[in-house]
Amino acid sequence: MLSVEEAESTILNVVPSLNPQANVEMVNLSNALGRVLAAPVTSDHDFPHWDNSAMDGYAVRYADVADCSPDSPKVLEIIEEIPAGYPPKKTLAPGQTARIFTGACLPTGADTIVIQEETQRQGNQVKIFAAPEPKAFVRHQGVFYQAGAALLEAGIPLGAAEIAVLAAAQCPQVPVFRRLRVAIFSTGDELVTPDQALQLGQLVDSNLYALTALVQGMGMEVLPLGIVADHPEVLQDTIARTLLNADVILSTGGVSVGDYDYVERVLTSLGAELHIRSVAIKPGKPLTVATFAECVYFGLPGNPVSALVTCWRFVQPALRKLSGLSEGYWKPVFIQARSRQDLHGGGKRETYLWGQLRIVKGGYEFELATGSHNSANLVNLAGTTGLAVVPIGQSLIAQGEAVQVLQVS
Ligand code: AMP
Ligand code: MG
C-alpha cells in the first residue's frame, strides 16, 4: 500500500503532458476562457504603445513650471487640444502647453503633465498654480512591456486577466490545447439511473454524475458511458472500446477485493501497466491506476465519498498535467486552518474529513460537516469546500488546533 504522497508522485510521473505539436487548436479569443495556452505569446507593440497622459490636464515642459506656486502662478499659451485617440499635431516651444486628456499622446516637447485641478483656464491661456514633480503623470512608452519579450507563457490557464492581455496583444485567435476526453462509467449490478424506480437492494448511480460534474467543471469533454455490469467480458469490451478514443478513463467500483471486483484483472488482461493498487488513505483505499499506450485509467472506489475524495486528491492533479498546464498548476492546494471541532484520524491511513473552509476574522477556519463521516454517506458531502487531513499515526487534531485542509471545487 502506497502512502498518499507516494501515490501522488507516482501518478504525476506516469501520466504524460499533452504534446504541443499534436494537440493544439486555434480558438476565438471569445471562446478561450478556461482553456490552456499551448504556445508562448509575444507582442510587436510596446506597452504603453507611446508616451501618454495618465490624467486630464495640461502637457507642459517641466522647466516652464518648476517654480510655480499659488502665489506666483505661471501663465502658458495653449496651442492645441489632444483628446485620447488623436495624434498631437504641434511641438511645444518654451511657454507653451497643450490641453490633454487621459490616455492621449504626449506632444513633442512636453515631458510632464499638470493635472487640471492645479490650473485655471482663461481663453487660450492657462495659469499653473503648483509645481509638479518632473515627468509627473506621464506613462512612458514600453515601461510595462517591451515589444518581442515574453508576454504569456505556454501552459497557463486562460482567465479574464490573461484574455485581456491577449486582446491587447491583438490575438483574436489563440493557440490552446485541445480539450481532454475523459470517459466515465460506473460498475455495479446494484446500480440504477436516477430516473429508474428502486427495487430492494438497488442503489442510484450518483458517481457518474459527480465525476462528470467535476470533469466538466475543469473544462474537459466527458464521454458518459453509464452503468457497466459486474461481468468481466462486458467490462473488458467497454474498456477495450473506450481506450481507443479517450485520453482518460474513470470508473468507479469493482476495485476492491470482493468476488465481483473485476477491474484489475480486466486491465491486466488488456495489457495495461498497473502502477497503483491501493493507497493508505481514508476514505479511498482501493485505488487502481494503470496506463495504456495512449490512455490513463483510474479505477476509483465505488463508495460515493471515496470516489470524490480520490478524484479531488489524485485525479484532478493528473488531469491538470494531462491537459497541458505547466507544473506549477498540478498540485492540490492545501490551506492551514484552525479546526472548529475535534478531528479524529484513522491511525494507519491518512484521513480526509469533509467540511467547509471559512475565513473568520482574517484567518481560515475548518468547519467539520455534521453527521456521519462514513464513506457511503454522501448526504453531508453537499457544501464541501475543504478536506481536513489527519496524518498517519495521529488519532486526534483537537478543536482550535491547526490542520491542513485540501481546498476542493
Ligand atoms: P464496490 O467498490 O464496487 O464494492 O462498491 C462499494 C460501495 O459503493 C457499494 O456499497 C456500492 O453499492 C457503492 N457504489 C458503487 N458504485 C456506486 C455508484 N456509481 N454510485 C453510488 N454508489 C456506488
Ligand atoms: Mg461493485
Side-chain angles (χ1 to χ4, degrees):
M1 193 154 60
L2 295 181
S3 72
V4 169
E5 281 201 355
E6 287 165 338
E8 177 185 69
S9 65
T10 300
I11 290 167
L12 288 177
N13 277 331
V14 300
V15 304
S17 275
L18 277 187
N19 169 0
Q21 266 82 50
N23 293 294
V24 177
E25 61 192 27
M26 299 300 287
V27 294
N28 287 330
L29 185 55
S30 50
N31 293 328
L33 181 65
R35 304 299 294 269
V36 179
L37 191 63
V41 170
T42 60
S43 173
D44 296 337
H45 299 295
D46 290 334
F47 285 79
H49 310 319
W50 19 75
D51 291 355
N52 69 90
S53 176
M55 299 294 267
D56 296 325
Y58 291 85
V60 300
R61 304 165 69 98
Y62 175 71
D64 282 348
V65 296
D67 301 326
C68 288
S69 70
D71 297 332
S72 62
K74 176 93 186 208
V75 177
L76 299 175
E77 179 202 0
I78 303 169
I79 59 165
E80 74 169 320
E81 180 163 309
I82 315 168
Y86 295 90
K89 297 189 189 75
K90 298 182 178 165
T91 297
L92 296 193
Q96 294 184 328
T97 183
R99 177 73 168 122
I100 197 163
F101 298 92
T102 304
C105 282
L106 239 65
T108 309
D111 55 23
T112 300
I113 301 296
V114 176
I115 59 173
Q116 68 188 31
E117 291 84 344
E118 309 282 10
T119 67
Q120 191 179 60
R121 183 167 183 164
Q122 286 157 342
N124 67 346
Q125 292 192 323
V126 63
K127 266 189 195 162
I128 311 288
F129 289 103
E133 295 292 316
K135 301 181 182 174
F137 302 116
V138 177
R139 297 190 288 217
H140 287 99
Q141 176 170 349
V143 289
F144 303 153
Y145 168 82
Q146 291 187 344
L151 187 60
L152 295 176
E153 305 288 343
I156 60 168
L158 298 179
E162 294 72 26
I163 285 171
V165 173
L166 289 164
Q170 298 189 302
C171 297
Q173 297 276 306
V174 190
V176 296
F177 287 106
R178 69 171 174 81
R179 286 181 200 279
L180 277 191
R181 283 188 297 269
V182 182
I184 304 177
F185 65 89
S186 303
T187 70
D189 286 352
E190 73 276 34
L191 300 176
V192 296
T193 58
D195 57 352
Q196 284 177 300
L198 270 184
Q199 306 297 325
L200 182 65
Q202 293 184 326
L203 185 69
V204 177
D205 169 19
S206 56
N207 288 346
L208 181 71
Y209 291 85
L211 301 191
T212 297
L214 185 141
V215 172
Q216 283 175 340
M218 296 176 78
M220 294 160 189
E221 189 186 330
V222 171
L223 313 174
L225 303 181
I227 298 165
V228 174
D230 284 324
H231 192 292
E233 272 131 60
V234 179
L235 188 59
Q236 180 149 340
D237 276 1
T238 306
I239 297 176
R241 241 183 314 114
T242 307
L243 64 87
L244 300 175
N245 53 29
D247 301 296
V248 180
I249 301 175
L250 304 181
S251 70
T252 60
V255 287
S256 203
V257 293
D259 290 351
Y260 298 95
D261 295 330
Y262 298 118
V263 170
E264 197 178 310
R265 264 175 280 169
V266 165
L267 288 171
T268 307
S269 75
L270 284 171
E273 196 180 335
L274 247 76
H275 304 283
I276 294 175
R277 291 195 167 88
S278 66
V279 182
I281 184 171
K282 185 182 173 199
K285 180 171 105 179
L287 170 73
T288 299
V289 182
T291 48
F292 295 94
E294 308 238 354
C295 185
V296 181
Y297 194 102
F298 288 91
L300 307 175
N303 272 315
V305 178
S306 311
L308 261 176
V309 168
T310 49
C311 227
W312 280 321
R313 185 64 186 85
F314 300 116
V315 178
Q316 277 192 320
L319 292 179
R320 292 190 205 108
K321 178 175 180 189
L322 282 157
S323 70
L325 283 169
S326 52
E327 191 166 354
Y329 295 98
W330 301 346
K331 293 235 174 173
V333 175
F334 288 91
I335 285 169
Q336 180 164 306
R338 211 171 58 82
S339 183
R340 291 170 63 89
Q341 289 80 25
D342 283 350
L343 304 175
H344 296 280
K348 295 203 168 86
R349 291 188 274 154
E350 192 166 295
T351 302
Y352 285 66
L353 297 163
W354 47 102
Q356 292 194 336
L357 260 178
R358 295 191 180 145
I359 296 176
V360 180
K361 293 185 188 148
Y364 279 103
E365 292 192 353
F366 178 75
E367 179 83 37
L368 186 68
T370 55
S372 168
H373 278 252
N374 180 301
S375 62
N377 177 25
L378 58 61
V379 174
N380 67 350
L381 203 57
T384 297
T385 53
L387 302 174
V389 184
V390 185
I392 290 180
Q394 199 171 337
S395 56
L396 174 72
I397 293 175
Q399 178 187 1
E401 284 183 0
V403 61
Q404 294 295 317
V405 181
L406 169 66
Q407 205 175 25
V408 300
S409 61

